mmCIF file of all heavy atoms in Angstrom:
data_model
loop_
_atom_site.group_PDB
_atom_site.id
_atom_site.type_symbol
_atom_site.label_atom_id
_atom_site.label_comp_id
_atom_site.label_asym_id
_atom_site.label_seq_id
_atom_site.Cartn_x
_atom_site.Cartn_y
_atom_site.Cartn_z
ATOM 1 N N ARG A 190 6.043 3.396 -10.685
ATOM 2 C CA ARG A 190 6.025 4.658 -11.405
ATOM 3 C C ARG A 190 4.863 5.550 -10.975
ATOM 4 O O ARG A 190 4.921 6.754 -11.059
ATOM 5 C CB ARG A 190 6.064 4.445 -12.914
ATOM 6 C CG ARG A 190 4.874 3.738 -13.487
ATOM 7 C CD ARG A 190 4.878 3.979 -14.986
ATOM 8 N NE ARG A 190 4.260 2.884 -15.723
ATOM 9 C CZ ARG A 190 4.656 2.563 -16.942
ATOM 10 N NH1 ARG A 190 5.630 3.188 -17.524
ATOM 11 N NH2 ARG A 190 4.029 1.603 -17.585
ATOM 12 N N SER A 191 3.775 4.910 -10.512
ATOM 13 C CA SER A 191 2.650 5.713 -10.037
ATOM 14 C C SER A 191 3.021 6.419 -8.724
ATOM 15 O O SER A 191 2.723 7.587 -8.526
ATOM 16 C CB SER A 191 1.413 4.850 -9.798
ATOM 17 O OG SER A 191 1.088 4.167 -10.986
ATOM 18 N N LEU A 192 3.700 5.662 -7.811
ATOM 19 C CA LEU A 192 4.081 6.248 -6.531
ATOM 20 C C LEU A 192 4.997 7.438 -6.742
ATOM 21 O O LEU A 192 4.972 8.384 -5.963
ATOM 22 C CB LEU A 192 4.815 5.210 -5.681
ATOM 23 C CG LEU A 192 3.912 4.170 -5.003
ATOM 24 C CD1 LEU A 192 4.752 3.041 -4.459
ATOM 25 C CD2 LEU A 192 3.111 4.822 -3.871
ATOM 26 N N LYS A 193 5.800 7.367 -7.801
ATOM 27 C CA LYS A 193 6.779 8.408 -8.068
ATOM 28 C C LYS A 193 6.098 9.773 -8.262
ATOM 29 O O LYS A 193 6.673 10.797 -7.920
ATOM 30 C CB LYS A 193 7.522 8.004 -9.344
ATOM 31 C CG LYS A 193 8.560 8.943 -9.800
ATOM 32 C CD LYS A 193 9.890 8.607 -9.216
ATOM 33 C CE LYS A 193 10.896 9.649 -9.618
ATOM 34 N NZ LYS A 193 11.853 9.940 -8.617
ATOM 35 N N VAL A 194 4.876 9.766 -8.825
ATOM 36 C CA VAL A 194 4.247 11.050 -9.156
ATOM 37 C C VAL A 194 3.077 11.390 -8.238
ATOM 38 O O VAL A 194 2.377 12.358 -8.465
ATOM 39 C CB VAL A 194 3.765 11.062 -10.617
ATOM 40 C CG1 VAL A 194 4.924 10.927 -11.551
ATOM 41 C CG2 VAL A 194 2.728 9.984 -10.858
ATOM 42 N N LEU A 195 2.858 10.578 -7.194
ATOM 43 C CA LEU A 195 1.731 10.839 -6.292
ATOM 44 C C LEU A 195 2.181 11.544 -5.030
ATOM 45 O O LEU A 195 3.346 11.478 -4.661
ATOM 46 C CB LEU A 195 1.073 9.505 -5.913
ATOM 47 C CG LEU A 195 0.443 8.786 -7.101
ATOM 48 C CD1 LEU A 195 0.049 7.382 -6.712
ATOM 49 C CD2 LEU A 195 -0.752 9.554 -7.597
ATOM 50 N N ASP A 196 1.238 12.182 -4.344
ATOM 51 C CA ASP A 196 1.588 12.862 -3.091
ATOM 52 C C ASP A 196 1.088 12.034 -1.914
ATOM 53 O O ASP A 196 1.537 12.229 -0.776
ATOM 54 C CB ASP A 196 0.927 14.242 -3.022
ATOM 55 C CG ASP A 196 1.266 15.077 -4.266
ATOM 56 O OD1 ASP A 196 2.413 14.973 -4.704
ATOM 57 O OD2 ASP A 196 0.384 15.754 -4.789
ATOM 58 N N GLY A 197 0.149 11.149 -2.148
ATOM 59 C CA GLY A 197 -0.414 10.372 -1.044
ATOM 60 C C GLY A 197 -0.994 9.071 -1.588
ATOM 61 O O GLY A 197 -1.122 8.900 -2.791
ATOM 62 N N GLY A 198 -1.379 8.171 -0.687
ATOM 63 C CA GLY A 198 -1.944 6.900 -1.184
ATOM 64 C C GLY A 198 -2.880 6.292 -0.171
ATOM 65 O O GLY A 198 -2.925 6.698 0.992
ATOM 66 N N ILE A 199 -3.642 5.310 -0.659
ATOM 67 C CA ILE A 199 -4.464 4.511 0.248
ATOM 68 C C ILE A 199 -3.975 3.081 0.103
ATOM 69 O O ILE A 199 -4.020 2.520 -1.013
ATOM 70 C CB ILE A 199 -5.969 4.579 -0.150
ATOM 71 C CG1 ILE A 199 -6.477 6.028 -0.151
ATOM 72 C CG2 ILE A 199 -6.808 3.725 0.797
ATOM 73 C CD1 ILE A 199 -7.893 6.201 -0.670
ATOM 74 N N GLY A 200 -3.482 2.511 1.178
ATOM 75 C CA GLY A 200 -3.067 1.091 1.146
ATOM 76 C C GLY A 200 -4.262 0.265 1.523
ATOM 77 O O GLY A 200 -4.827 0.458 2.613
ATOM 78 N N VAL A 201 -4.681 -0.614 0.637
ATOM 79 C CA VAL A 201 -5.877 -1.426 0.917
ATOM 80 C C VAL A 201 -5.429 -2.820 1.359
ATOM 81 O O VAL A 201 -4.601 -3.435 0.684
ATOM 82 C CB VAL A 201 -6.778 -1.546 -0.347
ATOM 83 C CG1 VAL A 201 -8.019 -2.354 -0.050
ATOM 84 C CG2 VAL A 201 -7.172 -0.170 -0.821
ATOM 85 N N PHE A 202 -5.966 -3.285 2.476
ATOM 86 C CA PHE A 202 -5.654 -4.641 2.939
ATOM 87 C C PHE A 202 -6.940 -5.419 3.068
ATOM 88 O O PHE A 202 -7.976 -4.880 3.437
ATOM 89 C CB PHE A 202 -4.942 -4.594 4.293
ATOM 90 C CG PHE A 202 -3.620 -3.893 4.244
ATOM 91 C CD1 PHE A 202 -3.476 -2.609 4.764
ATOM 92 C CD2 PHE A 202 -2.543 -4.483 3.628
ATOM 93 C CE1 PHE A 202 -2.257 -1.933 4.671
ATOM 94 C CE2 PHE A 202 -1.320 -3.813 3.551
ATOM 95 C CZ PHE A 202 -1.189 -2.553 4.064
ATOM 96 N N CYS A 203 -6.865 -6.722 2.767
ATOM 97 C CA CYS A 203 -8.059 -7.549 2.853
ATOM 98 C C CYS A 203 -8.276 -7.937 4.327
ATOM 99 O O CYS A 203 -7.343 -8.342 4.997
ATOM 100 C CB CYS A 203 -7.854 -8.795 1.991
ATOM 101 S SG CYS A 203 -9.085 -10.046 2.277
ATOM 102 N N GLY A 204 -9.526 -7.794 4.796
ATOM 103 C CA GLY A 204 -9.842 -8.054 6.203
ATOM 104 C C GLY A 204 -9.563 -9.478 6.616
ATOM 105 O O GLY A 204 -9.253 -9.766 7.776
ATOM 106 N N SER A 205 -9.625 -10.445 5.650
ATOM 107 C CA SER A 205 -9.337 -11.824 6.043
ATOM 108 C C SER A 205 -7.909 -12.216 5.638
ATOM 109 O O SER A 205 -7.233 -12.928 6.349
ATOM 110 C CB SER A 205 -10.354 -12.791 5.452
ATOM 111 O OG SER A 205 -10.335 -12.722 4.066
ATOM 112 N N GLY A 206 -7.411 -11.731 4.491
ATOM 113 C CA GLY A 206 -6.072 -12.104 4.033
ATOM 114 C C GLY A 206 -4.985 -11.335 4.767
ATOM 115 O O GLY A 206 -3.853 -11.805 4.905
ATOM 116 N N GLY A 207 -5.299 -10.108 5.202
ATOM 117 C CA GLY A 207 -4.328 -9.320 5.955
ATOM 118 C C GLY A 207 -3.202 -8.764 5.080
ATOM 119 O O GLY A 207 -3.398 -8.455 3.922
ATOM 120 N N VAL A 208 -2.036 -8.672 5.674
ATOM 121 C CA VAL A 208 -0.889 -8.132 4.961
ATOM 122 C C VAL A 208 -0.252 -9.253 4.151
ATOM 123 O O VAL A 208 0.405 -10.120 4.681
ATOM 124 C CB VAL A 208 0.147 -7.552 5.964
ATOM 125 C CG1 VAL A 208 1.366 -7.040 5.223
ATOM 126 C CG2 VAL A 208 -0.491 -6.431 6.764
ATOM 127 N N GLU A 209 -0.463 -9.207 2.829
ATOM 128 C CA GLU A 209 0.005 -10.318 1.977
ATOM 129 C C GLU A 209 1.339 -9.929 1.314
ATOM 130 O O GLU A 209 1.734 -8.774 1.353
ATOM 131 C CB GLU A 209 -1.082 -10.618 0.940
ATOM 132 C CG GLU A 209 -2.337 -11.167 1.609
ATOM 133 C CD GLU A 209 -3.569 -11.200 0.711
ATOM 134 O OE1 GLU A 209 -4.127 -10.130 0.430
ATOM 135 O OE2 GLU A 209 -3.941 -12.285 0.291
ATOM 136 N N PRO A 210 2.016 -10.931 0.724
ATOM 137 C CA PRO A 210 3.369 -10.663 0.206
ATOM 138 C C PRO A 210 3.460 -9.417 -0.671
ATOM 139 O O PRO A 210 4.353 -8.589 -0.507
ATOM 140 C CB PRO A 210 3.681 -11.904 -0.622
ATOM 141 C CG PRO A 210 2.864 -12.985 -0.042
ATOM 142 C CD PRO A 210 1.637 -12.329 0.539
ATOM 143 N N GLN A 211 2.519 -9.266 -1.602
ATOM 144 C CA GLN A 211 2.630 -8.164 -2.543
ATOM 145 C C GLN A 211 2.401 -6.813 -1.858
ATOM 146 O O GLN A 211 2.983 -5.833 -2.239
ATOM 147 C CB GLN A 211 1.620 -8.369 -3.664
ATOM 148 C CG GLN A 211 1.832 -7.466 -4.833
ATOM 149 C CD GLN A 211 3.261 -7.486 -5.324
ATOM 150 O OE1 GLN A 211 3.897 -8.526 -5.350
ATOM 151 N NE2 GLN A 211 3.798 -6.350 -5.665
ATOM 152 N N SER A 212 1.547 -6.808 -0.807
ATOM 153 C CA SER A 212 1.323 -5.521 -0.141
ATOM 154 C C SER A 212 2.600 -5.096 0.526
ATOM 155 O O SER A 212 2.880 -3.885 0.669
ATOM 156 C CB SER A 212 0.164 -5.582 0.867
ATOM 157 O OG SER A 212 -0.135 -6.857 1.273
ATOM 158 N N GLU A 213 3.411 -6.069 0.918
ATOM 159 C CA GLU A 213 4.703 -5.736 1.530
ATOM 160 C C GLU A 213 5.629 -5.037 0.542
ATOM 161 O O GLU A 213 6.259 -4.035 0.854
ATOM 162 C CB GLU A 213 5.369 -7.049 1.973
ATOM 163 C CG GLU A 213 5.842 -7.041 3.393
ATOM 164 C CD GLU A 213 6.385 -8.415 3.760
ATOM 165 O OE1 GLU A 213 5.627 -9.387 3.727
ATOM 166 O OE2 GLU A 213 7.564 -8.466 4.086
ATOM 167 N N THR A 214 5.710 -5.589 -0.687
ATOM 168 C CA THR A 214 6.575 -4.992 -1.718
ATOM 169 C C THR A 214 6.106 -3.579 -2.015
ATOM 170 O O THR A 214 6.900 -2.635 -2.089
ATOM 171 C CB THR A 214 6.500 -5.815 -3.017
ATOM 172 O OG1 THR A 214 6.720 -7.192 -2.680
ATOM 173 C CG2 THR A 214 7.542 -5.379 -4.007
ATOM 174 N N ASN A 215 4.790 -3.421 -2.194
ATOM 175 C CA ASN A 215 4.259 -2.094 -2.541
ATOM 176 C C ASN A 215 4.475 -1.097 -1.411
ATOM 177 O O ASN A 215 4.766 0.072 -1.631
ATOM 178 C CB ASN A 215 2.767 -2.177 -2.866
ATOM 179 C CG ASN A 215 2.520 -2.906 -4.160
ATOM 180 O OD1 ASN A 215 3.428 -3.040 -4.969
ATOM 181 N ND2 ASN A 215 1.330 -3.399 -4.362
ATOM 182 N N TRP A 216 4.334 -1.595 -0.175
ATOM 183 C CA TRP A 216 4.540 -0.724 0.994
ATOM 184 C C TRP A 216 5.993 -0.262 1.040
ATOM 185 O O TRP A 216 6.300 0.886 1.338
ATOM 186 C CB TRP A 216 4.185 -1.501 2.260
ATOM 187 C CG TRP A 216 4.041 -0.635 3.467
ATOM 188 C CD1 TRP A 216 4.992 -0.363 4.415
ATOM 189 C CD2 TRP A 216 2.878 0.118 3.856
ATOM 190 N NE1 TRP A 216 4.488 0.486 5.355
ATOM 191 C CE2 TRP A 216 3.190 0.790 5.054
ATOM 192 C CE3 TRP A 216 1.591 0.255 3.330
ATOM 193 C CZ2 TRP A 216 2.279 1.614 5.711
ATOM 194 C CZ3 TRP A 216 0.694 1.064 3.990
ATOM 195 C CH2 TRP A 216 1.024 1.744 5.169
ATOM 196 N N ARG A 217 6.888 -1.190 0.691
ATOM 197 C CA ARG A 217 8.317 -0.860 0.701
ATOM 198 C C ARG A 217 8.599 0.222 -0.362
ATOM 199 O O ARG A 217 9.335 1.172 -0.110
ATOM 200 C CB ARG A 217 9.148 -2.116 0.420
ATOM 201 C CG ARG A 217 10.606 -1.965 0.783
ATOM 202 C CD ARG A 217 11.373 -3.241 0.611
ATOM 203 N NE ARG A 217 11.492 -3.614 -0.793
ATOM 204 C CZ ARG A 217 11.075 -4.791 -1.287
ATOM 205 N NH1 ARG A 217 10.498 -5.668 -0.512
ATOM 206 N NH2 ARG A 217 11.216 -5.059 -2.573
ATOM 207 N N TYR A 218 8.007 0.051 -1.547
ATOM 208 C CA TYR A 218 8.162 1.071 -2.597
ATOM 209 C C TYR A 218 7.673 2.420 -2.094
ATOM 210 O O TYR A 218 8.292 3.446 -2.338
ATOM 211 C CB TYR A 218 7.334 0.697 -3.829
ATOM 212 C CG TYR A 218 7.989 -0.306 -4.765
ATOM 213 C CD1 TYR A 218 7.221 -1.134 -5.589
ATOM 214 C CD2 TYR A 218 9.358 -0.412 -4.844
ATOM 215 C CE1 TYR A 218 7.818 -2.033 -6.448
ATOM 216 C CE2 TYR A 218 9.967 -1.313 -5.705
ATOM 217 C CZ TYR A 218 9.175 -2.121 -6.499
ATOM 218 O OH TYR A 218 9.772 -3.006 -7.352
ATOM 219 N N ALA A 219 6.491 2.406 -1.437
ATOM 220 C CA ALA A 219 5.912 3.668 -0.947
ATOM 221 C C ALA A 219 6.802 4.301 0.098
ATOM 222 O O ALA A 219 6.965 5.530 0.146
ATOM 223 C CB ALA A 219 4.514 3.419 -0.413
ATOM 224 N N ASN A 220 7.438 3.467 0.952
ATOM 225 C CA ASN A 220 8.373 4.011 1.936
ATOM 226 C C ASN A 220 9.543 4.679 1.246
ATOM 227 O O ASN A 220 9.978 5.762 1.626
ATOM 228 C CB ASN A 220 8.891 2.905 2.872
ATOM 229 C CG ASN A 220 7.876 2.515 3.909
ATOM 230 O OD1 ASN A 220 6.900 3.220 4.161
ATOM 231 N ND2 ASN A 220 8.051 1.347 4.510
ATOM 232 N N GLU A 221 10.073 3.991 0.214
ATOM 233 C CA GLU A 221 11.231 4.546 -0.518
ATOM 234 C C GLU A 221 10.868 5.871 -1.167
ATOM 235 O O GLU A 221 11.668 6.792 -1.243
ATOM 236 C CB GLU A 221 11.731 3.559 -1.560
ATOM 237 C CG GLU A 221 12.481 2.389 -0.968
ATOM 238 C CD GLU A 221 12.701 1.246 -1.960
ATOM 239 O OE1 GLU A 221 12.480 1.454 -3.169
ATOM 240 O OE2 GLU A 221 13.066 0.132 -1.523
ATOM 241 N N SER A 222 9.628 5.958 -1.679
ATOM 242 C CA SER A 222 9.192 7.198 -2.347
ATOM 243 C C SER A 222 8.692 8.218 -1.318
ATOM 244 O O SER A 222 8.265 9.309 -1.715
ATOM 245 C CB SER A 222 8.080 6.896 -3.344
ATOM 246 O OG SER A 222 8.490 5.913 -4.254
ATOM 247 N N GLU A 223 8.684 7.833 -0.036
ATOM 248 C CA GLU A 223 8.206 8.723 1.043
ATOM 249 C C GLU A 223 6.820 9.294 0.773
ATOM 250 O O GLU A 223 6.605 10.516 0.806
ATOM 251 C CB GLU A 223 9.224 9.855 1.279
ATOM 252 C CG GLU A 223 10.549 9.322 1.797
ATOM 253 C CD GLU A 223 11.564 10.410 2.099
ATOM 254 O OE1 GLU A 223 11.285 11.579 1.826
ATOM 255 O OE2 GLU A 223 12.641 10.069 2.585
ATOM 256 N N VAL A 224 5.897 8.406 0.460
ATOM 257 C CA VAL A 224 4.506 8.824 0.169
ATOM 258 C C VAL A 224 3.651 8.623 1.423
ATOM 259 O O VAL A 224 3.657 7.574 2.016
ATOM 260 C CB VAL A 224 3.945 7.959 -0.994
ATOM 261 C CG1 VAL A 224 2.474 8.224 -1.179
ATOM 262 C CG2 VAL A 224 4.692 8.282 -2.268
ATOM 263 N N ALA A 225 2.939 9.698 1.819
ATOM 264 C CA ALA A 225 2.038 9.597 2.973
ATOM 265 C C ALA A 225 0.841 8.728 2.612
ATOM 266 O O ALA A 225 0.371 8.765 1.480
ATOM 267 C CB ALA A 225 1.554 10.988 3.380
ATOM 268 N N ARG A 226 0.388 7.895 3.552
ATOM 269 C CA ARG A 226 -0.716 6.959 3.226
ATOM 270 C C ARG A 226 -1.757 6.891 4.335
ATOM 271 O O ARG A 226 -1.454 7.070 5.513
ATOM 272 C CB ARG A 226 -0.171 5.541 3.103
ATOM 273 C CG ARG A 226 0.509 5.207 1.803
ATOM 274 C CD ARG A 226 1.661 4.251 2.022
ATOM 275 N NE ARG A 226 2.830 4.962 2.496
ATOM 276 C CZ ARG A 226 3.917 4.404 2.932
ATOM 277 N NH1 ARG A 226 4.029 3.104 2.950
ATOM 278 N NH2 ARG A 226 4.931 5.138 3.355
ATOM 279 N N CYS A 227 -2.993 6.569 3.924
ATOM 280 C CA CYS A 227 -4.013 6.088 4.861
ATOM 281 C C CYS A 227 -4.122 4.580 4.618
ATOM 282 O O CYS A 227 -3.777 4.098 3.541
ATOM 283 C CB CYS A 227 -5.378 6.683 4.529
ATOM 284 S SG CYS A 227 -5.464 8.417 4.821
ATOM 285 N N ILE A 228 -4.630 3.883 5.611
ATOM 286 C CA ILE A 228 -4.820 2.439 5.430
ATOM 287 C C ILE A 228 -6.325 2.177 5.443
ATOM 288 O O ILE A 228 -7.070 2.747 6.247
ATOM 289 C CB ILE A 228 -4.142 1.665 6.560
ATOM 290 C CG1 ILE A 228 -2.606 1.788 6.440
ATOM 291 C CG2 ILE A 228 -4.555 0.195 6.588
ATOM 292 C CD1 ILE A 228 -1.858 1.222 7.608
ATOM 293 N N PHE A 229 -6.787 1.329 4.507
ATOM 294 C CA PHE A 229 -8.175 0.934 4.488
ATOM 295 C C PHE A 229 -8.256 -0.595 4.572
ATOM 296 O O PHE A 229 -7.765 -1.278 3.688
ATOM 297 C CB PHE A 229 -8.861 1.438 3.216
ATOM 298 C CG PHE A 229 -10.297 0.990 3.050
ATOM 299 C CD1 PHE A 229 -11.229 1.200 4.066
ATOM 300 C CD2 PHE A 229 -10.706 0.370 1.894
ATOM 301 C CE1 PHE A 229 -12.547 0.776 3.925
ATOM 302 C CE2 PHE A 229 -12.024 -0.055 1.733
ATOM 303 C CZ PHE A 229 -12.948 0.158 2.754
ATOM 304 N N VAL A 230 -8.791 -1.108 5.685
ATOM 305 C CA VAL A 230 -8.953 -2.559 5.825
ATOM 306 C C VAL A 230 -10.322 -2.895 5.231
ATOM 307 O O VAL A 230 -11.346 -2.533 5.777
ATOM 308 C CB VAL A 230 -8.827 -2.996 7.303
ATOM 309 C CG1 VAL A 230 -9.002 -4.493 7.409
ATOM 310 C CG2 VAL A 230 -7.464 -2.581 7.848
ATOM 311 N N ASN A 231 -10.277 -3.587 4.098
ATOM 312 C CA ASN A 231 -11.477 -3.833 3.292
ATOM 313 C C ASN A 231 -12.054 -5.238 3.572
ATOM 314 O O ASN A 231 -11.462 -6.025 4.277
ATOM 315 C CB ASN A 231 -11.039 -3.689 1.822
ATOM 316 C CG ASN A 231 -12.202 -3.702 0.855
ATOM 317 O OD1 ASN A 231 -13.345 -3.505 1.243
ATOM 318 N ND2 ASN A 231 -11.909 -3.953 -0.404
ATOM 319 N N LYS A 232 -13.175 -5.514 2.988
ATOM 320 C CA LYS A 232 -13.776 -6.857 3.004
ATOM 321 C C LYS A 232 -14.070 -7.375 4.409
ATOM 322 O O LYS A 232 -13.868 -8.544 4.714
ATOM 323 C CB LYS A 232 -12.858 -7.880 2.275
ATOM 324 C CG LYS A 232 -12.617 -7.525 0.823
ATOM 325 C CD LYS A 232 -12.024 -8.677 0.050
ATOM 326 C CE LYS A 232 -11.820 -8.308 -1.432
ATOM 327 N NZ LYS A 232 -11.334 -9.381 -2.242
ATOM 328 N N LEU A 233 -14.517 -6.458 5.290
ATOM 329 C CA LEU A 233 -14.827 -6.910 6.654
ATOM 330 C C LEU A 233 -16.141 -7.717 6.704
ATOM 331 O O LEU A 233 -16.477 -8.274 7.740
ATOM 332 C CB LEU A 233 -14.931 -5.714 7.611
ATOM 333 C CG LEU A 233 -13.560 -5.122 7.978
ATOM 334 C CD1 LEU A 233 -13.692 -4.023 9.020
ATOM 335 C CD2 LEU A 233 -12.586 -6.170 8.495
ATOM 336 N N ASP A 234 -16.844 -7.770 5.571
ATOM 337 C CA ASP A 234 -18.060 -8.577 5.541
ATOM 338 C C ASP A 234 -17.748 -10.026 5.193
ATOM 339 O O ASP A 234 -18.639 -10.872 5.096
ATOM 340 C CB ASP A 234 -19.044 -8.006 4.508
ATOM 341 C CG ASP A 234 -18.367 -7.859 3.130
ATOM 342 O OD1 ASP A 234 -17.167 -7.552 3.105
ATOM 343 O OD2 ASP A 234 -19.042 -8.060 2.123
#
């Protein structure tokens, strides 16, 4: 429901965990809602 009302998003991925199952579901939702995104790879320390 948040994606529905947003114009853009930041997809955060863990630097060691990478693309995890839930990020896939959320990414799919964002694709369906056609939301533009930046990607931030976090936890590089």
